[in-house]
Amino acid sequence: MVLKDVFKRPLLDLRISVTDRCNMRCRYCMPREHFDKNHTYLPKSDILSFEEIVHVVESLLPSGLKKVRLTGGEPLIRKDLHKLIEQLRAVSPELDIALTTNAHLLSDSIERLKKAGISRITVSLDAVDIDVYQSMGDTTSTPDSILASIDKTLGLGIPVKVNTVVQKGINDQQLIPLISQMTSRNVPIRFIEYMDVGGTNSWNLDHVMTGNEMRSLIENEFGRLEPIEPNHPSDVARKFCTESGQVIGFIESISNPFCGDCSRARLSANGSIFTCLFATKGFDIRGILRMDATKDEISEAISSIWIQRKDRYSETRSETTDSKRIEMSFIGG
Ligand code: SAM
Ligand code: SF4
Ligand code: SF4
């Protein structure tokens, strides 16, 4: 039976954070001054094993789960991640298994991920200009190396999408060159409005470029954008197409929220279920996992959380107070 929350939203999509660590320090996500050597990361013993993660996923398949997305932190720094994909694929040949990555380690691991049964990859890339890229990500890596790993992934026949967080005055001049790079590769790109997640990125409305603002900038260069019908109501991006056929999505959590069809739950690396990206607390299920709970017992525990779910943070943003939210690198983007 399909599991539904208070607003009749099903649980179709589980985002699984496999680590709270990262090899980048994007200023909008893990600013170095907060995530320095004094930051306490999860101890290894707190982190769910691959077997525990698979047990959770398996328990949710009968109630309608269709898709998992491996994320973090940076998922590719979790040792032997391909073995998790192998195990997930073994429990469900139909499951959509996606990965969101900054792609620093993608070239070295993509063959293993393919063999294990990954369905598709989303690469985060905020700029093609090296200075903008390195300053936003606080990294010495280069956009060319990320583009090369995208090419390698495409060469293996694995579908790729690119995600770009847009910050006004910081990388808004990168939209056009990014679109050109993706058009030449036939890769869809999605621009994400800078969001007020966590409590360390000093988020400010002045740094948000709205989807409307992005579209008018893009139309000035590429001509009229034609809207595309969503494949599914729970698609987070509003999709458009340029005259040359390039697909561009906009994830407008700030200016055009999409909570009404939100069918996503998140599983943190230490085994808590979060029912919203902006949640202030999760529900621990590691406890019962480590008491050898059966699939039915785990499914019951998650069902009892989901059926009470009333989250619609993005729609009520202006009414909410500034309570302490969980960091995106922890909860899983
Ligand atoms: N490290 C991986 C990566 O960057 O692809 C996966 C985790 S990251 C938290 C997932 C996504 O969240 C990335 O595409 C990132 O750009 C996005 N993200 C992080 N902080 C954000 C913010 N404040 N607003 C909008 N998107 C954000
Ligand atoms: Fe790391 Fe991804 Fe956050 Fe950047 S957005 S700091 S790559 S987790
Ligand atoms: Fe879903 Fe929460 Fe985002 Fe709304 S704010 S779309 S409920 S994750």
Side-chain angles (χ1 to χ4, degrees):
M1 201 191 71
V2 174
L3 188 56
K4 300 247 173 101
D5 72 4
V6 171
F7 300 129
K8 306 262 178 285
R9 298 171 295 187
L11 199 180
L12 303 175
D13 176 349
L14 184 66
R15 307 218 162 174
I16 303 170
S17 172
V18 294
T19 176
D20 60 338
R21 293 167 192 259
C22 189
N23 48 5
M24 276 181 92
R25 285 291 177 272
C26 303
R27 302 216 46 82
Y28 53 77
C29 179
M30 294 181 81
R32 197 175 293 278
E33 56 277 21
H34 291 279
F35 293 87
D36 59 7
K37 60 180 180 349
N38 298 318
H39 180 78
T40 314
Y41 293 97
L42 291 170
K44 208 169 166 205
S45 57
D46 280 6
I47 293 184
L48 293 190
S49 67
F50 290 166
E51 289 69 25
E52 287 169 331
I53 293 173
V54 174
H55 204 41
V56 174
V57 171
E58 235 187 322
S59 78
L60 290 174
L61 292 173
S63 47
L65 187 73
K66 298 272 179 280
K67 171 176 164 187
V68 296
R69 177 172 293 282
L70 307 178
T71 179
E74 173 48 41
L76 291 179
I77 63 175
R78 177 85 185 250
K79 192 165 172 277
D80 292 334
L81 188 74
H82 63 284
K83 293 189 178 163
L84 171 60
I85 296 166
E86 243 164 50
Q87 292 179 32
L88 289 168
R89 183 53 74 220
V91 298
S92 171
E94 302 85 38
L95 186 67
D96 185 3
I97 307 175
L99 170 80
T100 302
T101 174
N102 61 31
H104 286 206
L105 301 171
L106 188 59
S107 278
D108 290 343
S109 53
I110 190 62
E111 274 113 350
R112 286 193 296 277
L113 301 179
K114 179 182 174 172
K115 200 154 167 253
I118 191 88
S119 309
R120 52 212 175 82
I121 307 263
T122 300
V123 171
S124 302
L125 177 64
D126 295 332
V128 286
D129 176 273
I130 185 164
D131 295 331
V132 180
Y133 178 80
Q134 292 188 335
S135 107
M136 266 181 96
D138 198 355
T139 177
T140 53
S141 171
T142 67
D144 281 352
S145 67
I146 308 305
L147 291 170
S149 59
I150 292 175
D151 291 339
K152 185 166 175 187
T153 307
L154 292 169
L156 291 172
I158 302 170
V160 176
K161 275 186 200 149
V162 162
N163 271 358
T164 301
V165 176
V166 182
Q167 288 186 292
K168 201 180 246 178
I170 300 195
N171 67 334
D172 43 2
Q173 295 313 313
Q174 289 297 298
L175 268 58
I176 304 302
L178 275 162
I179 293 170
S180 300
Q181 286 286 348
M182 294 315 138
T183 305
S184 65
R185 291 173 168 80
N186 202 13
V187 165
I189 183 163
R190 307 188 312 167
F191 294 114
I192 309 175
E193 289 179 354
Y194 175 38
M195 292 187 286
D196 49 338
V197 273
T200 57
N201 63 7
S202 315
W203 182 87
N204 181 317
L205 199 54
D206 295 344
H207 290 137
V208 177
M209 186 176 210
T210 63
N212 269 338
E213 290 172 318
M214 295 182 214
R215 282 189 288 278
S216 58
L217 190 148
I218 294 167
E219 286 188 326
N220 276 342
E221 182 71 24
F222 293 110
R224 199 177 134 64
L225 288 171
E226 278 298 326
I228 305 176
E229 279 299 306
N231 296 336
H232 192 275
S234 66
D235 282 356
V236 292
R238 290 179 69 195
K239 283 192 264 174
F240 292 79
C241 191
T242 62
E243 284 160 6
S244 67
Q246 170 66 31
V247 176
I248 307 176
F250 299 88
I251 302 180
E252 303 171 328
S253 165
I254 307 291
S255 69
N256 191 5
F258 37 80
C259 302
D261 292 308
C262 178
S263 54
R264 290 174 297 282
R266 290 176 160 82
L267 177 65
S268 64
N270 63 346
S272 286
I273 290 281
F274 291 83
T275 56
C276 177
L277 180 56
F278 298 91
T280 49
K281 74 172 178 66
F283 300 85
D284 176 66
I285 56 157
R286 189 186 61 204
I288 59 164
L289 272 170
R290 294 195 176 168
M291 287 190 306
D292 294 329
T294 62
K295 276 179 265 182
D296 285 348
E297 286 164 340
I298 294 163
S299 163
E300 242 169 70
I302 298 177
S303 303
S304 68
I305 297 164
W306 191 261
I307 58 173
Q308 295 180 51
R309 175 184 190 244
K310 290 188 194 152
D311 305 283
R312 49 188 202 93
Y313 173 81
S314 289
E315 291 180 352
T316 58
R317 184 171 265 119
S318 56
E319 298 160 28
T320 53
T321 52
D322 250 352
S323 48
K324 179 89 181 106
R325 290 192 294 268
I326 313 291
E327 295 300 323
M328 187 122 161
S329 55
F330 182 87
I331 198 172

